[in-house]
Amino acid sequence: MLLRIEDLTCGYGPVLAVRGISFDVADGSMVCVLGANGAGKSTTLKAVSGLVRPVRGRVLLDGQDITRVSASRRVGLGISHCPEGRRIFANLTVLDNLRLGGYRLGRAELGPAMERALAVFPPLERLLDRRGGLLSGGEQQMLALARALMSRPRLLLLDEPSLGLAPMVTSQLFDTLADINRQGTTVLLVEQNATKALELARWGIVLAGGTIDLQGPAAELLVSDRVRQAYLGA
């Protein structure tokens, strides 16, 4: 098992956003996390990447307890977090954004990592000298994902990657995510487009009020009346 979450409880000051959740993410799989706003989805990803320190529980990677490991060290262990809102450096060029994504790589590794990232997102090649803030929404999301891939992650954490994108761009994005996963990168996905997320993922987790309301094979959740009524607009 690549990632194991055990009895995870965390939040911000006295406010607990996640309350005692447990789940596994198998190596090479794609797992999606669904739920309404405030359900604890983003906080869960932040706990995995080290941006939020749990009050209780454990985060294990390959069986190793990394609960107290710093966020920067987790990047070195193979975890990369693409946050909600893209968070690119608007005043830096596309090239410099990508270089920052590979800041832990040696000089000999940086070039090949850049080639791999641009192979996933070819449109970025002609934009390398353009500032991030001048890109379209779809281009910014490509850049955010390409930057996350620069560290060559084993586990890619994605928080609402389709947020604010046009339907055609969203469709292309999900095709790319499927390719990334097929090539061996494990993906833990938080996504507002519940239908598409469940179509892509192998396993689905539904959070409500910081706890796990449902979890199971994504294909089963996709046809569940309870999930359809609550999250799929049926």
Side-chain angles (χ1 to χ4, degrees):
M1 195 60 59
L2 179 61
L3 177 70
R4 173 158 288 169
I5 302 298
E6 295 181 348
D7 193 29
L8 183 70
T9 298
C10 53
Y12 310 94
V15 179
L16 295 179
V18 173
R19 302 167 182 268
I21 67 172
S22 300
F23 64 87
D24 294 335
V25 179
D27 195 7
S29 70
M30 183 184 297
V31 173
C32 67
V33 182
L34 309 177
N37 289 338
K41 306 184 300 297
S42 295
T43 302
T44 299
L45 293 192
K46 290 176 182 177
V48 174
S49 65
L51 297 178
V52 169
R53 183 65 61 88
V55 174
R56 187 177 68 247
R58 298 199 302 167
V59 178
L60 295 97
L61 187 72
D62 274 335
Q64 175 187 355
D65 189 344
I66 62 169
T67 312
R68 303 300 169 188
V69 172
S70 69
S72 60
R73 283 188 58 202
R74 293 189 201 196
V75 175
L77 293 174
I79 298 176
S80 187
H81 188 168
C82 188
E84 181 181 353
R86 300 155 196 158
R87 305 290 179 89
I88 63 169
F89 296 98
N91 291 325
L92 297 182
T93 65
V94 168
L95 180 60
D96 285 339
N97 270 273
L98 293 175
R99 284 172 173 162
L100 284 171
Y103 78 99
R104 293 183 62 94
L105 303 178
R107 184 173 299 179
E109 300 171 296
L110 191 59
M114 188 86 67
E115 290 178 6
R116 284 191 294 269
L118 292 174
V120 177
F121 299 101
L124 292 179
E125 288 195 67
R126 59 180 175 80
L127 301 171
L128 290 176
D129 294 329
R130 188 170 300 180
R131 289 188 180 185
L134 299 178
L135 303 180
S136 69
E139 290 166 345
Q140 288 185 2
Q141 188 61 72
M142 282 192 288
L143 175 56
L145 284 164
R147 184 181 61 184
L149 292 175
M150 283 293 295
S151 62
R152 298 178 300 182
R154 298 178 60 204
L155 174 61
L156 181 61
L157 310 176
L158 300 178
D159 196 351
E160 304 285 12
S162 75
L163 187 65
L165 300 183
M168 182 177 295
V169 178
T170 296
S171 180
Q172 294 169 348
L173 170 68
F174 281 122
D175 287 345
T176 301
L177 294 183
D179 287 340
I180 291 170
N181 181 236
R182 277 194 293 266
Q183 291 168 18
T185 302
T186 305
V187 178
L188 181 57
L189 170 67
V190 166
E191 175 52 47
Q192 59 170 350
N193 189 332
T195 299
K196 193 61 179 177
L198 290 170
E199 288 174 348
L200 279 177
R202 180 182 305 174
W203 190 264
I205 300 165
V206 179
L207 296 183
T211 64
I212 293 180
D213 187 34
L214 290 170
Q215 67 172 317
E220 294 182 10
L221 294 181
L222 187 61
V223 297
S224 162
D225 288 340
R226 182 175 168 189
V227 173
R228 291 180 66 83
Q229 290 171 5
Y231 302 103
L232 305 183

